[in-house]
Amino acid sequence: MFILPEPNQHPMENVPVHAEGDAPQMAEIARRITAFVPVYCQGNRTLVLLSDGRMFYEPHRAQWVRESLLRHFAISQRDLRRACEEDLNRSLFAPVVIAAEGLAYAQLRVRTPIGRNDGSQGFFRIDAIQGIRAINRRRPRCGWPTGSSLWCKCLGREW
């Protein structure tokens, strides 16, 4: 099982921390992104997990990664949100759906925000999740929580 370390324990050992100029381009990784979650690592960054099990720290917030992913596939974030409002009758925690590629990401809270407008939602590719179970009844969060409250197994790898 892999649990994200507490916010002050990032970066994780052997996980590359990319700067603005050397981060992988979205065109190179878009179809292989399994999850991306916000972390505190030398400022706000995003921990990205690829389908081959590799991880790295992106030098942007998770919202930027989401917008970049949607832009790569020529999808309007506003149109996606409106479609979710019409079809699902909800706009908060809307999934990221890339129908042409058969990809859908669930948006789940993964940490406690430390201030106003602090992104605390991570995105998990739905078809990669093999199981989730609650560990802590009082804090039912999903994914890579800083409080170690859930177990998640994607593509044969446990977190």
mmCIF file of all heavy atoms in Angstrom, residues 91-124:
data_model
loop_
_atom_site.group_PDB
_atom_site.id
_atom_site.type_symbol
_atom_site.label_atom_id
_atom_site.label_comp_id
_atom_site.label_asym_id
_atom_site.label_seq_id
_atom_site.Cartn_x
_atom_site.Cartn_y
_atom_site.Cartn_z
ATOM 1 N N SER A 91 -22.606 20.815 -10.360
ATOM 2 C CA SER A 91 -21.471 21.477 -10.984
ATOM 3 C C SER A 91 -20.207 21.360 -10.132
ATOM 4 O O SER A 91 -19.106 21.454 -10.650
ATOM 5 C CB SER A 91 -21.785 22.951 -11.239
ATOM 6 O OG SER A 91 -22.046 23.614 -10.021
ATOM 7 N N LEU A 92 -20.362 21.145 -8.836
ATOM 8 C CA LEU A 92 -19.197 20.963 -7.982
ATOM 9 C C LEU A 92 -18.679 19.536 -8.101
ATOM 10 O O LEU A 92 -19.454 18.586 -8.232
ATOM 11 C CB LEU A 92 -19.536 21.265 -6.525
ATOM 12 C CG LEU A 92 -19.908 22.716 -6.229
ATOM 13 C CD1 LEU A 92 -20.302 22.863 -4.770
ATOM 14 C CD2 LEU A 92 -18.758 23.644 -6.564
ATOM 15 N N PHE A 93 -17.378 19.379 -8.042
ATOM 16 C CA PHE A 93 -16.729 18.072 -8.146
ATOM 17 C C PHE A 93 -17.133 17.337 -9.421
ATOM 18 O O PHE A 93 -17.286 16.126 -9.435
ATOM 19 C CB PHE A 93 -17.008 17.205 -6.915
ATOM 20 C CG PHE A 93 -16.447 17.764 -5.653
ATOM 21 C CD1 PHE A 93 -17.250 18.473 -4.767
ATOM 22 C CD2 PHE A 93 -15.111 17.620 -5.351
ATOM 23 C CE1 PHE A 93 -16.731 19.002 -3.606
ATOM 24 C CE2 PHE A 93 -14.591 18.152 -4.195
ATOM 25 C CZ PHE A 93 -15.391 18.848 -3.318
ATOM 26 N N ALA A 94 -17.293 18.089 -10.496
ATOM 27 C CA ALA A 94 -17.668 17.497 -11.782
ATOM 28 C C ALA A 94 -16.525 16.625 -12.292
ATOM 29 O O ALA A 94 -15.351 16.979 -12.164
ATOM 30 C CB ALA A 94 -17.981 18.591 -12.794
ATOM 31 N N PRO A 95 -16.841 15.488 -12.884
ATOM 32 C CA PRO A 95 -15.775 14.646 -13.446
ATOM 33 C C PRO A 95 -15.178 15.293 -14.686
ATOM 34 O O PRO A 95 -15.798 16.133 -15.331
ATOM 35 C CB PRO A 95 -16.521 13.353 -13.809
ATOM 36 C CG PRO A 95 -17.925 13.776 -14.022
ATOM 37 C CD PRO A 95 -18.166 14.924 -13.084
ATOM 38 N N VAL A 96 -13.967 14.905 -15.006
ATOM 39 C CA VAL A 96 -13.329 15.328 -16.252
ATOM 40 C C VAL A 96 -13.536 14.178 -17.229
ATOM 41 O O VAL A 96 -13.059 13.063 -16.991
ATOM 42 C CB VAL A 96 -11.827 15.616 -16.042
ATOM 43 C CG1 VAL A 96 -11.128 15.849 -17.364
ATOM 44 C CG2 VAL A 96 -11.647 16.808 -15.119
ATOM 45 N N VAL A 97 -14.275 14.440 -18.292
ATOM 46 C CA VAL A 97 -14.619 13.397 -19.261
ATOM 47 C C VAL A 97 -14.031 13.764 -20.622
ATOM 48 O O VAL A 97 -14.260 14.855 -21.129
ATOM 49 C CB VAL A 97 -16.153 13.235 -19.377
ATOM 50 C CG1 VAL A 97 -16.500 12.169 -20.406
ATOM 51 C CG2 VAL A 97 -16.754 12.899 -18.013
ATOM 52 N N ILE A 98 -13.285 12.822 -21.185
ATOM 53 C CA ILE A 98 -12.704 12.981 -22.516
ATOM 54 C C ILE A 98 -13.254 11.820 -23.340
ATOM 55 O O ILE A 98 -12.638 10.763 -23.468
ATOM 56 C CB ILE A 98 -11.165 12.991 -22.451
ATOM 57 C CG1 ILE A 98 -10.712 14.087 -21.485
ATOM 58 C CG2 ILE A 98 -10.568 13.191 -23.835
ATOM 59 C CD1 ILE A 98 -9.273 13.999 -21.063
ATOM 60 N N ALA A 99 -14.446 12.024 -23.853
ATOM 61 C CA ALA A 99 -15.198 10.949 -24.505
ATOM 62 C C ALA A 99 -14.462 10.360 -25.702
ATOM 63 O O ALA A 99 -14.472 9.138 -25.896
ATOM 64 C CB ALA A 99 -16.575 11.469 -24.926
ATOM 65 N N ALA A 100 -13.821 11.171 -26.504
ATOM 66 C CA ALA A 100 -13.132 10.681 -27.701
ATOM 67 C C ALA A 100 -12.029 9.682 -27.371
ATOM 68 O O ALA A 100 -11.706 8.808 -28.173
ATOM 69 C CB ALA A 100 -12.552 11.856 -28.484
ATOM 70 N N GLU A 101 -11.457 9.796 -26.190
ATOM 71 C CA GLU A 101 -10.378 8.897 -25.768
ATOM 72 C C GLU A 101 -10.866 7.826 -24.799
ATOM 73 O O GLU A 101 -10.094 6.971 -24.378
ATOM 74 C CB GLU A 101 -9.258 9.695 -25.095
ATOM 75 C CG GLU A 101 -8.579 10.667 -26.022
ATOM 76 C CD GLU A 101 -7.800 9.968 -27.131
ATOM 77 O OE1 GLU A 101 -7.204 8.901 -26.873
ATOM 78 O OE2 GLU A 101 -7.792 10.494 -28.254
ATOM 79 N N GLY A 102 -12.127 7.895 -24.390
ATOM 80 C CA GLY A 102 -12.657 6.937 -23.423
ATOM 81 C C GLY A 102 -12.077 7.128 -22.036
ATOM 82 O O GLY A 102 -11.919 6.170 -21.283
ATOM 83 N N LEU A 103 -11.754 8.379 -21.678
ATOM 84 C CA LEU A 103 -11.158 8.684 -20.375
ATOM 85 C C LEU A 103 -12.138 9.470 -19.517
ATOM 86 O O LEU A 103 -12.834 10.351 -20.011
ATOM 87 C CB LEU A 103 -9.879 9.514 -20.548
ATOM 88 C CG LEU A 103 -8.753 8.901 -21.360
ATOM 89 C CD1 LEU A 103 -7.638 9.911 -21.563
ATOM 90 C CD2 LEU A 103 -8.235 7.654 -20.672
ATOM 91 N N ALA A 104 -12.169 9.147 -18.253
ATOM 92 C CA ALA A 104 -12.969 9.901 -17.291
ATOM 93 C C ALA A 104 -12.224 9.909 -15.971
ATOM 94 O O ALA A 104 -11.707 8.883 -15.521
ATOM 95 C CB ALA A 104 -14.348 9.267 -17.118
ATOM 96 N N TYR A 105 -12.143 11.081 -15.363
ATOM 97 C CA TYR A 105 -11.444 11.273 -14.096
ATOM 98 C C TYR A 105 -12.433 11.735 -13.040
ATOM 99 O O TYR A 105 -13.143 12.719 -13.244
ATOM 100 C CB TYR A 105 -10.332 12.322 -14.231
ATOM 101 C CG TYR A 105 -9.225 11.914 -15.163
ATOM 102 C CD1 TYR A 105 -9.325 12.110 -16.530
ATOM 103 C CD2 TYR A 105 -8.063 11.324 -14.662
ATOM 104 C CE1 TYR A 105 -8.299 11.734 -17.383
ATOM 105 C CE2 TYR A 105 -7.035 10.945 -15.517
ATOM 106 C CZ TYR A 105 -7.170 11.154 -16.870
ATOM 107 O OH TYR A 105 -6.154 10.776 -17.710
ATOM 108 N N ALA A 106 -12.458 11.024 -11.926
ATOM 109 C CA ALA A 106 -13.268 11.445 -10.786
ATOM 110 C C ALA A 106 -12.491 12.494 -10.005
ATOM 111 O O ALA A 106 -11.286 12.355 -9.799
ATOM 112 C CB ALA A 106 -13.589 10.253 -9.890
ATOM 113 N N GLN A 107 -13.186 13.527 -9.564
ATOM 114 C CA GLN A 107 -12.571 14.592 -8.776
ATOM 115 C C GLN A 107 -12.891 14.337 -7.311
ATOM 116 O O GLN A 107 -14.053 14.319 -6.927
ATOM 117 C CB GLN A 107 -13.133 15.945 -9.218
ATOM 118 C CG GLN A 107 -12.507 17.102 -8.551
ATOM 119 C CD GLN A 107 -13.035 18.436 -9.062
ATOM 120 O OE1 GLN A 107 -12.702 19.438 -8.483
ATOM 121 N NE2 GLN A 107 -13.849 18.479 -10.095
ATOM 122 N N LEU A 108 -11.857 14.128 -6.507
ATOM 123 C CA LEU A 108 -12.049 13.750 -5.112
ATOM 124 C C LEU A 108 -11.153 14.576 -4.205
ATOM 125 O O LEU A 108 -10.005 14.876 -4.558
ATOM 126 C CB LEU A 108 -11.729 12.265 -4.923
ATOM 127 C CG LEU A 108 -12.497 11.305 -5.829
ATOM 128 C CD1 LEU A 108 -11.847 9.935 -5.827
ATOM 129 C CD2 LEU A 108 -13.937 11.215 -5.398
ATOM 130 N N ARG A 109 -11.651 14.900 -3.045
ATOM 131 C CA ARG A 109 -10.849 15.654 -2.081
ATOM 132 C C ARG A 109 -9.754 14.749 -1.522
ATOM 133 O O ARG A 109 -10.009 13.647 -1.079
ATOM 134 C CB ARG A 109 -11.720 16.160 -0.944
ATOM 135 C CG ARG A 109 -10.905 16.942 0.086
ATOM 136 C CD ARG A 109 -11.758 17.819 0.898
ATOM 137 N NE ARG A 109 -12.322 18.803 -0.011
ATOM 138 C CZ ARG A 109 -12.876 19.924 0.380
ATOM 139 N NH1 ARG A 109 -12.940 20.215 1.641
ATOM 140 N NH2 ARG A 109 -13.374 20.758 -0.494
ATOM 141 N N VAL A 110 -8.514 15.248 -1.540
ATOM 142 C CA VAL A 110 -7.385 14.441 -1.097
ATOM 143 C C VAL A 110 -6.604 15.047 0.058
ATOM 144 O O VAL A 110 -5.688 14.418 0.571
ATOM 145 C CB VAL A 110 -6.409 14.154 -2.265
ATOM 146 C CG1 VAL A 110 -7.067 13.285 -3.316
ATOM 147 C CG2 VAL A 110 -5.879 15.435 -2.865
ATOM 148 N N ARG A 111 -6.931 16.273 0.443
ATOM 149 C CA ARG A 111 -6.232 16.890 1.562
ATOM 150 C C ARG A 111 -7.111 17.982 2.159
ATOM 151 O O ARG A 111 -8.077 18.418 1.547
ATOM 152 C CB ARG A 111 -4.884 17.474 1.137
ATOM 153 C CG ARG A 111 -5.007 18.684 0.230
ATOM 154 C CD ARG A 111 -3.658 19.262 -0.118
ATOM 155 N NE ARG A 111 -3.830 20.485 -0.885
ATOM 156 C CZ ARG A 111 -2.888 21.069 -1.569
ATOM 157 N NH1 ARG A 111 -1.688 20.552 -1.593
ATOM 158 N NH2 ARG A 111 -3.116 22.175 -2.231
ATOM 159 N N THR A 112 -6.740 18.405 3.331
ATOM 160 C CA THR A 112 -7.438 19.497 3.991
ATOM 161 C C THR A 112 -6.843 20.812 3.499
ATOM 162 O O THR A 112 -5.628 20.996 3.588
ATOM 163 C CB THR A 112 -7.292 19.393 5.520
ATOM 164 O OG1 THR A 112 -7.792 18.111 5.923
ATOM 165 C CG2 THR A 112 -8.067 20.497 6.214
ATOM 166 N N PRO A 113 -7.673 21.718 2.966
ATOM 167 C CA PRO A 113 -7.138 22.994 2.493
ATOM 168 C C PRO A 113 -6.523 23.787 3.643
ATOM 169 O O PRO A 113 -7.023 23.748 4.764
ATOM 170 C CB PRO A 113 -8.359 23.731 1.943
ATOM 171 C CG PRO A 113 -9.426 22.709 1.807
ATOM 172 C CD PRO A 113 -9.107 21.606 2.767
ATOM 173 N N ILE A 114 -5.445 24.505 3.348
ATOM 174 C CA ILE A 114 -4.814 25.305 4.399
ATOM 175 C C ILE A 114 -5.237 26.765 4.329
ATOM 176 O O ILE A 114 -4.857 27.548 5.177
ATOM 177 C CB ILE A 114 -3.279 25.213 4.347
ATOM 178 C CG1 ILE A 114 -2.739 25.741 3.023
ATOM 179 C CG2 ILE A 114 -2.810 23.805 4.629
ATOM 180 C CD1 ILE A 114 -1.237 25.921 3.010
ATOM 181 N N GLY A 115 -6.013 27.131 3.348
ATOM 182 C CA GLY A 115 -6.476 28.500 3.228
ATOM 183 C C GLY A 115 -7.549 28.619 2.173
ATOM 184 O O GLY A 115 -7.886 27.655 1.482
ATOM 185 N N ARG A 116 -8.071 29.811 2.039
ATOM 186 C CA ARG A 116 -9.106 30.083 1.043
ATOM 187 C C ARG A 116 -8.531 29.869 -0.366
ATOM 188 O O ARG A 116 -7.400 30.221 -0.648
ATOM 189 C CB ARG A 116 -9.592 31.513 1.217
ATOM 190 C CG ARG A 116 -10.718 31.891 0.309
ATOM 191 C CD ARG A 116 -11.161 33.316 0.622
ATOM 192 N NE ARG A 116 -12.075 33.790 -0.372
ATOM 193 C CZ ARG A 116 -13.389 33.723 -0.259
ATOM 194 N NH1 ARG A 116 -13.921 33.223 0.838
ATOM 195 N NH2 ARG A 116 -14.173 34.167 -1.206
ATOM 196 N N ASN A 117 -9.331 29.281 -1.235
ATOM 197 C CA ASN A 117 -8.949 29.008 -2.629
ATOM 198 C C ASN A 117 -7.758 28.057 -2.755
ATOM 199 O O ASN A 117 -7.042 28.081 -3.746
ATOM 200 C CB ASN A 117 -8.666 30.311 -3.387
ATOM 201 C CG ASN A 117 -9.893 31.173 -3.511
ATOM 202 O OD1 ASN A 117 -11.005 30.663 -3.643
ATOM 203 N ND2 ASN A 117 -9.705 32.471 -3.444
ATOM 204 N N ASP A 118 -7.528 27.247 -1.744
ATOM 205 C CA ASP A 118 -6.470 26.249 -1.812
ATOM 206 C C ASP A 118 -7.052 24.988 -2.431
ATOM 207 O O ASP A 118 -7.981 24.405 -1.896
ATOM 208 C CB ASP A 118 -5.937 25.954 -0.402
ATOM 209 C CG ASP A 118 -4.842 24.914 -0.424
ATOM 210 O OD1 ASP A 118 -4.086 24.872 -1.409
ATOM 211 O OD2 ASP A 118 -4.735 24.153 0.548
ATOM 212 N N GLY A 119 -6.511 24.584 -3.566
ATOM 213 C CA GLY A 119 -7.010 23.390 -4.234
ATOM 214 C C GLY A 119 -6.742 22.147 -3.414
ATOM 215 O O GLY A 119 -5.622 21.920 -2.973
ATOM 216 N N SER A 120 -7.766 21.368 -3.177
ATOM 217 C CA SER A 120 -7.594 20.160 -2.378
ATOM 218 C C SER A 120 -8.145 18.934 -3.098
ATOM 219 O O SER A 120 -8.204 17.871 -2.523
ATOM 220 C CB SER A 120 -8.279 20.322 -1.023
ATOM 221 O OG SER A 120 -9.664 20.542 -1.200
ATOM 222 N N GLN A 121 -8.544 19.079 -4.361
ATOM 223 C CA GLN A 121 -9.107 17.964 -5.105
ATOM 224 C C GLN A 121 -8.072 17.368 -6.039
ATOM 225 O O GLN A 121 -7.364 18.082 -6.753
ATOM 226 C CB GLN A 121 -10.316 18.409 -5.948
ATOM 227 C CG GLN A 121 -11.565 18.645 -5.160
ATOM 228 C CD GLN A 121 -11.578 20.010 -4.502
ATOM 229 O OE1 GLN A 121 -10.944 20.930 -4.984
ATOM 230 N NE2 GLN A 121 -12.296 20.131 -3.415
ATOM 231 N N GLY A 122 -8.031 16.047 -6.020
ATOM 232 C CA GLY A 122 -7.210 15.314 -6.960
ATOM 233 C C GLY A 122 -8.116 14.684 -8.004
ATOM 234 O O GLY A 122 -9.337 14.651 -7.851
ATOM 235 N N PHE A 123 -7.521 14.170 -9.059
ATOM 236 C CA PHE A 123 -8.283 13.585 -10.162
ATOM 237 C C PHE A 123 -7.770 12.176 -10.405
ATOM 238 O O PHE A 123 -6.564 11.964 -10.564
ATOM 239 C CB PHE A 123 -8.128 14.446 -11.417
ATOM 240 C CG PHE A 123 -8.708 15.817 -11.258
ATOM 241 C CD1 PHE A 123 -7.984 16.817 -10.624
ATOM 242 C CD2 PHE A 123 -9.977 16.102 -11.708
ATOM 243 C CE1 PHE A 123 -8.517 18.084 -10.456
ATOM 244 C CE2 PHE A 123 -10.527 17.364 -11.540
ATOM 245 C CZ PHE A 123 -9.792 18.356 -10.913
ATOM 246 N N PHE A 124 -8.676 11.202 -10.437
ATOM 247 C CA PHE A 124 -8.325 9.792 -10.554
ATOM 248 C C PHE A 124 -9.054 9.185 -11.749
ATOM 249 O O PHE A 124 -10.277 9.282 -11.842
ATOM 250 C CB PHE A 124 -8.721 9.040 -9.278
ATOM 251 C CG PHE A 124 -8.023 9.567 -8.061
ATOM 252 C CD1 PHE A 124 -8.518 10.664 -7.366
ATOM 253 C CD2 PHE A 124 -6.857 8.981 -7.618
ATOM 254 C CE1 PHE A 124 -7.863 11.158 -6.257
ATOM 255 C CE2 PHE A 124 -6.199 9.466 -6.507
ATOM 256 C CZ PHE A 124 -6.703 10.564 -5.821
#
